[in-house]
Amino acid sequence: MIIQLPDAKGVFHDYELSGEILKETVLQPDSARTVFAAAHVVADPFSDNDPGGRAALDWNATLAFRRYLAGLGLGIAEAMDTAQRGMGLDWPGALELIRRTVNELPEAVVFSGAGTDQLAPTDAKERDDVRRAYFEQIEEIQRVGGRIIIMASRALARISSNPKDYVSIYGEIISSCDEPVILHWLGEMFDPALAGYWGSDSFEECLETATGIIEENKSRVDGIKISLLDKNKEILMRRQLPEGVKMYSGDDFNYPELILGDDEGYSHALLGIFDPLAASAARAVMLLTEGDIEGYCDTLEPTVPLARHIFRAPTHYYKTGVVFLAWLNGFQNHFVMLGGAQSMRSLPYFVDCFKMADSCGLLRKPELAAHRMKKLLSLYGA
């Protein structure tokens, strides 16, 4: 199949699709790694909703995608930044999303983000404001049967530059959770408002604070997801974690190497890129479980150029690429996002996403993907 695609100068060239379609494999519960996909949401394109308003979701399509992820055997990290949390998805919308997912998929492994986004950072005056906001979300999520991912707090980052504040607040909120939690260290490349998180601009000092919190609460911490896009920092922290506490890779640039691991350990996965790469992730980890390291590498390593492209700077707009691929693959009927975020990337970016996904066998229905790519080109006057 051939489709004409433009280059960055608007000159069209023939592109022949590979014809490859990755065979989907179901990841079994006893797999060698625990794998979560942070899932996107599908906006309701017919709602009369301006940017900055309440989130309006297409619930049928949003939940159908979660059924797809669970059907592949992947865990679901719900209401995280991949779901446009704090960039279109507000706290009431997030709570409704968590409730529906937990009810829809009672057998799936679902952890959900608890943060402080109902509290505007400018309204946070003291630590108690942040504590109350965390406690409120944790209580509501647990009331609907959800497990907790403690998300980084913009409000906490704004009011505190003292590591002792983080130690105090995290100790209290971890203790308030019914079951072991996953912590989330999200770098400022994903959210500029989180610069200086853990009370320092020094990675070494932040590492000491975060690992100290985990050590003090190790029986109540399932693991930590670190999203700094620096494999060496992840490996360094991984080697310092207490026994039994998992490192969940959040490195959307270096995940094959980090999940495979080395003689001193390995990372599990909680990744936004495993939303569009769900089929590759499930197949690769199943091969790894079977001892087929070559097959694991052959499946996952070719996806890295696509991942690095989707997550290129400004990184916090990676959700646009994620949803674009969901649309190409027929998981939703439109390419509209909360807050109009579909406009946050350029046409050459989308063209390259299309080509790279094709080269990895990740266009599930090539004819549909090509048809929709032509529709997008027509919007740009082609």
Side-chain angles (χ1 to χ4, degrees):
M1 183 190 310
I2 295 176
I3 180 175
Q4 284 201 322
L5 298 174
D7 60 22
K9 295 182 179 179
V11 177
F12 280 77
H13 303 274
D14 286 346
Y15 175 79
E16 185 173 3
L17 277 75
S18 69
E20 298 290 330
I21 302 175
L22 185 72
K23 182 180 179 181
E24 294 184 350
T25 303
V26 178
L27 189 60
Q28 300 303 309
D30 60 349
S31 64
R33 305 289 186 269
T34 302
V35 183
F36 288 92
H40 76 282
V41 294
V42 183
D44 177 359
F46 302 108
S47 65
D48 184 13
N49 189 26
D50 295 323
R54 298 294 292 273
L57 300 185
D58 178 337
W59 291 111
N60 289 335
T62 294
L63 293 172
F65 185 72
R66 281 145 178 79
R67 288 193 296 271
Y68 166 74
L69 294 176
L72 290 174
L74 301 181
I76 298 170
E78 189 56 279
M80 302 294 289
D81 48 307
T82 305
Q84 294 184 253
R85 184 76 175 268
M87 295 183 67
L89 183 67
D90 55 11
W91 163 236
L95 180 59
E96 179 65 10
L97 174 62
I98 293 165
R99 184 188 68 78
R100 288 180 183 242
T101 298
V102 170
N103 288 341
E104 179 80 12
L105 298 167
E107 302 303 318
V109 180
V110 180
F111 276 68
S112 302
T116 65
D117 45 324
Q118 78 276 39
L119 172 67
T122 52
D123 292 337
K125 308 302 181 186
E126 55 188 9
R127 288 183 298 178
D128 282 345
D129 296 330
V130 177
R131 284 193 185 92
R132 282 192 294 269
Y134 266 126
F135 288 155
E136 177 188 344
Q137 292 204 11
I138 289 169
E139 181 179 352
E140 292 294 335
I141 292 171
Q142 291 185 155
R143 181 177 290 125
V144 300
R147 295 284 302 273
I148 301 295
I149 300 172
I150 298 177
M151 301 177 70
S153 166
R154 292 174 178 172
L156 181 55
R158 181 178 182 274
I159 67 169
S160 180
S161 59
N162 184 345
K164 293 181 180 178
D165 290 341
Y166 289 84
V167 172
S168 173
I169 288 177
Y170 271 79
E172 292 186 45
I173 59 180
I174 291 171
S175 296
S176 73
C177 296
D178 296 338
E179 299 181 77
V181 303
I182 297 174
L183 306 182
H184 189 188
W185 183 349
L186 189 66
E188 61 186 283
M189 69 289 294
F190 287 94
D191 189 342
L194 297 177
Y197 209 73
W198 305 115
S200 176
D201 292 324
S202 163
F203 168 73
E204 290 73 20
E205 292 177 6
C206 291
L207 178 61
E208 182 179 358
T209 300
T211 53
I213 290 170
I214 293 171
E215 181 65 40
E216 287 295 315
N217 300 276
K218 58 187 176 184
S219 66
R220 306 185 67 86
V221 176
D222 173 79
I224 181 168
K225 165 185 163 74
I226 180 171
S227 300
L228 301 179
L229 301 183
D230 184 324
K231 66 179 182 180
N232 293 321
K233 291 178 179 177
E234 179 174 317
I235 292 170
L236 180 61
M237 186 174 194
R238 185 172 77 196
R239 291 174 177 169
Q240 296 184 27
L241 292 178
E243 185 177 356
V245 176
K246 300 183 185 75
M247 169 58 73
Y248 288 102
S249 181
D251 190 329
D252 301 278
F253 286 179
N254 301 291
Y255 50 91
E257 174 184 351
L258 291 163
I259 296 169
L260 179 60
D262 54 32
D263 292 339
E264 298 185 55
Y266 53 81
S267 297
H268 300 271
L270 197 165
L271 288 159
I273 195 58
F274 280 1
D275 175 306
L277 268 58
S280 292
R283 180 172 178 78
V285 175
M286 200 63 236
L287 290 169
L288 181 62
T289 302
E290 295 168 354
D292 185 355
I293 294 177
E294 182 178 359
Y296 165 85
C297 294
D298 288 345
T299 301
L300 215 51
E301 287 180 355
T303 66
V304 171
L306 172 62
R308 295 189 175 198
H309 178 67
I310 289 175
F311 281 77
R312 77 182 193 189
T315 303
H316 50 285
Y317 293 128
Y318 76 87
K319 297 92 167 171
T320 301
V322 168
V323 175
F324 172 65
L325 290 179
W327 174 58
L328 288 185
N329 277 319
F331 292 114
Q332 53 196 82
N333 293 327
H334 59 82
F335 182 34
V336 174
M337 297 177 65
L338 300 179
Q342 70 274 5
S343 66
M344 292 296 106
R345 294 296 198 182
S346 66
L347 180 58
Y349 172 92
F350 297 129
V351 169
D352 287 340
C353 277
F354 178 90
K355 292 179 178 178
M356 291 178 181
D358 170 59
S359 70
C360 298
L362 289 172
L363 295 181
R364 301 171 71 238
K365 302 175 181 178
E367 295 84 0
L368 175 65
H371 175 70
R372 289 186 169 180
M373 190 69 213
K374 291 176 183 178
K375 281 190 171 183
L376 183 70
L377 292 173
S378 71
L379 293 176
Y380 285 82

